[in-house]
Amino acid sequence: MKRTVLPSLAALAAAAVLGGSPAAAEELNLFAWSEYIPQSVLDGFTEETGIQVNYETYASNEEMLAKLLSGAASYDLVQPSEYTIEAMRKENLLLPLDHSKLPNLKNIGKEYYGLPYDPKLEYSVPYMQGTVGIVVNVEKVKEPVAGFGDVFQAKNKGRIVVLDDALEIVTWGLATQGKGPDEVTKENLDKVRPVLTTWLPLVKVYDSDSPKTALLNGNVDLGVVWSGEAAILLKEQPGKFKYVLPVEGAHMFIDSLAIPKGAPNIAGALKFIDYVLRPEVSSKISEEFPYTNPNVEARKLLSPEERDNAASYPPGNPKLSVFRDIGALAADVDKMFTDLKAKSGS
């Protein structure tokens, strides 16, 4: 999976008019993250309802929004991250959900209510939650690794894989300065620039789609990656890898299902959301893509090994923060990261 900073939604919205012609009731157009929805789930939904799911994938929130707003295609369901939902709500790009058509919404944990991007889940239903943390090959790295400051050291040059994500990396730098992800300002971007100038030349691989690959093949020994990727590493090679949530603080992301304005098949979209909310269906998703499942009833169906995976379900009470929509500052974040990355030779 990959997440990048968002363009100005106001600018994009001004360039496109959302709408859609009626679609055949037996079709559902789903636009979602790559490597995130098991084929067995799509097949099961079609077998039960007769609705054929056209599953198209994207690699970033930015890509999803650009295509949605271009009018090039009409989608019934999208899968935005938390700060993207906030941005889309501001621009009136999402339809409110009819909770009476979602009886299985009761399976979502109470902790997913009251969050700033959609406090009452009026426009979105959590699909999977995750964190961004540090993976350590303990066979190669013997020194303790507790946070970003331990990863980005000169001795680790050429041994690090990170997400190819501007906002993520900028907020890691801010975290080392005692600032949260909600403190992205022009002034703080200037302050964090020297940190990133030092960090980026140390990176060997940028990969948001499958950062676990470089760790599995031994190309690197340290990574800052999505928790689901880390969970697969811990499962496939137990004892070799360790997952650490940065002591400075970690990003908790929540990817949700939402219905865009102009969706041709709203009824089918609601049926799909409620189908995915069934514990037995949601647990299938966790088995293949082991992120943190917001469906508390589905968690009960997981094996002890799955529930004990430290990347999927971090122990203790870690310091986690969700991203907020940063509006026009997204362009500044992206430009700074792109420029520094180019200068670093990465």
Side-chain angles (χ1 to χ4, degrees):
M1 301 190 334
K2 181 178 180 181
R3 293 162 173 77
T4 58
V5 276
L6 305 178
S8 168
L9 281 183
L12 286 172
V17 177
L18 289 179
S21 57
E26 68 272 16
E27 288 192 354
L28 180 75
N29 295 320
L30 170 64
F31 198 26
W33 293 103
S34 59
E35 299 184 47
Y36 216 17
I37 302 178
Q39 187 61 44
S40 62
V41 169
L42 302 177
D43 293 342
F45 177 74
T46 298
E47 183 177 351
E48 180 175 314
T49 64
I51 300 173
Q52 179 65 44
V53 181
N54 302 316
Y55 177 27
E56 186 177 341
T57 65
Y58 55 83
S60 71
N61 283 300
E62 181 180 47
E63 179 186 344
M64 179 271 291
L65 280 168
K67 189 161 187 181
L68 185 69
L69 292 168
S70 73
S74 295
Y75 298 104
D76 302 302
L77 272 177
V78 291
Q79 200 177 48
S81 303
E82 73 285 353
Y83 62 101
T84 316
I85 292 169
E86 182 180 9
M88 294 177 79
R89 286 187 61 193
K90 288 178 181 177
E91 297 298 332
N92 194 30
L93 300 180
L94 295 176
L95 291 177
L97 301 175
D98 183 350
H99 283 193
S100 70
K101 301 293 177 59
L102 301 173
N104 288 311
L105 186 61
K106 66 182 185 294
N107 297 326
I108 294 296
K110 300 303 180 186
E111 65 269 31
Y112 294 93
Y113 289 83
L115 297 175
Y117 69 92
D118 190 8
K120 298 180 181 178
L121 301 187
E122 295 175 280
Y123 295 87
S124 63
V125 172
Y127 176 81
M128 282 288 155
Q129 173 208 320
T131 55
V132 176
I134 301 164
V135 172
V136 183
N137 182 335
V138 295
E139 294 179 357
K140 299 290 185 66
V141 180
K142 302 301 182 181
E143 303 85 358
V145 176
F148 297 119
D150 298 319
V151 173
F152 296 102
Q153 295 190 16
K155 65 183 178 182
N156 294 326
K157 183 175 183 178
R159 305 171 69 194
I160 306 169
V161 58
V162 300
L163 303 174
D164 192 8
D165 189 301
L167 184 56
E168 282 290 348
I169 294 176
V170 165
T171 59
W172 304 344
L174 288 174
T176 65
Q177 298 179 336
K179 298 178 175 63
D182 58 344
E183 296 181 79
V184 179
T185 64
K186 285 184 178 293
E187 181 183 3
N188 285 338
L189 286 180
D190 289 337
K191 291 179 179 179
V192 83
R193 179 183 290 270
V195 176
L196 302 190
T197 300
T198 301
W199 282 7
L200 298 193
L202 307 177
V203 175
K204 185 172 185 178
V205 180
Y206 290 89
D207 187 351
S208 289
D209 294 320
S210 184
K212 65 180 180 295
T213 301
L215 288 152
L216 275 173
N217 65 25
N219 196 30
V220 296
D221 304 321
L222 293 156
V224 187
V225 306
W226 313 122
S227 58
E229 292 277 295
I232 293 173
L233 288 171
L234 269 58
K235 178 182 177 181
E236 292 186 1
Q237 297 195 21
K240 182 176 181 178
F241 295 103
K242 180 180 181 181
Y243 185 67
V244 179
L245 286 175
V247 67
E248 299 95 342
H251 172 208
M252 178 181 76
F253 59 84
I254 301 172
D255 296 321
S256 298
L257 290 171
I259 302 176
K261 194 172 184 181
N265 190 0
I266 297 171
L270 289 167
K271 286 181 181 178
F272 185 84
I273 293 173
D274 199 58
Y275 178 79
V276 167
L277 285 170
R278 293 181 190 174
E280 67 274 15
V281 175
S282 188
S283 64
K284 285 184 182 179
I285 300 170
S286 282
E287 289 168 7
E288 193 163 334
F289 303 107
Y291 288 86
T292 305
N293 197 322
N295 189 317
V296 294
E297 295 302 314
R299 289 185 197 176
K300 296 176 183 178
L301 302 179
L302 301 180
S303 69
E305 291 77 17
E306 289 170 321
R307 291 196 300 269
D308 290 341
N309 190 307
S312 301
Y313 300 95
N317 187 27
K319 179 183 176 182
L320 303 175
S321 302
V322 295
F323 282 176
R324 301 296 304 273
D325 172 40
I326 60 173
L329 278 172
D332 297 305
V333 169
D334 193 45
K335 184 178 187 307
M336 183 177 75
F337 172 68
T338 302
D339 290 347
L340 291 178
K341 185 178 174 184
K343 290 177 182 177
S344 73
S346 301

